Amino acid sequence: YHTVQVQVKEKDKYQREIAYVNAKGADISAFMLQYGYAWHYGCFDSSGFYKQLELYAKDNRLGLWATNTHMPHWIWRHNNKK
């Protein structure tokens, strides 16, 4: 097990915490995006750094980008409102 450090950046409109998460000095969000384990949600990243990591995963067909069947969760929720 590893200890993680969480630095809350802000809260979204639903009061969920938007945070930086690090373990052993490594940026967990960057790792997840670079290897296709997460979606980039641009509302909270104006630097473009995380977007570039997602593009790397897309270009190399890593993780969720390995197939053409992926759908962002926000689109799925919009299409499946009850």
Side-chain angles (χ1 to χ4, degrees):
Y1 298 100
H2 298 286
T3 301
V4 298
Q5 294 80 40
V6 178
Q7 179 186 3
V8 177
K9 178 181 172 187
E10 62 185 287
K11 290 188 178 186
D12 69 7
K13 66 181 180 179
Y14 303 107
Q15 297 305 301
R16 296 175 296 198
E17 293 178 338
I18 309 303
Y20 296 106
V21 181
N22 291 284
K24 290 189 168 185
D27 181 341
I28 302 303
S29 297
F31 174 86
M32 292 179 69
L33 286 163
Q34 183 176 1
Y35 293 100
Y37 298 132
W39 298 96
H40 176 256
Y41 195 55
C43 300
F44 303 105
D45 173 35
S46 60
S47 72
F49 171 71
Y50 291 115
K51 183 64 178 174
Q52 290 301 312
L53 295 173
E54 182 185 62
L55 290 174
Y56 173 84
K58 283 182 182 180
D59 290 346
N60 291 283
R61 301 183 62 78
L62 301 173
L64 61 95
W65 307 109
T67 69
N68 291 326
T69 60
H70 52 272
M71 179 184 296
H73 59 86
W74 55 89
I75 294 175
W76 186 91
R77 282 190 200 126
H78 177 77
N79 294 339
N80 291 280
K81 288 183 180 180
K82 293 182 180 178

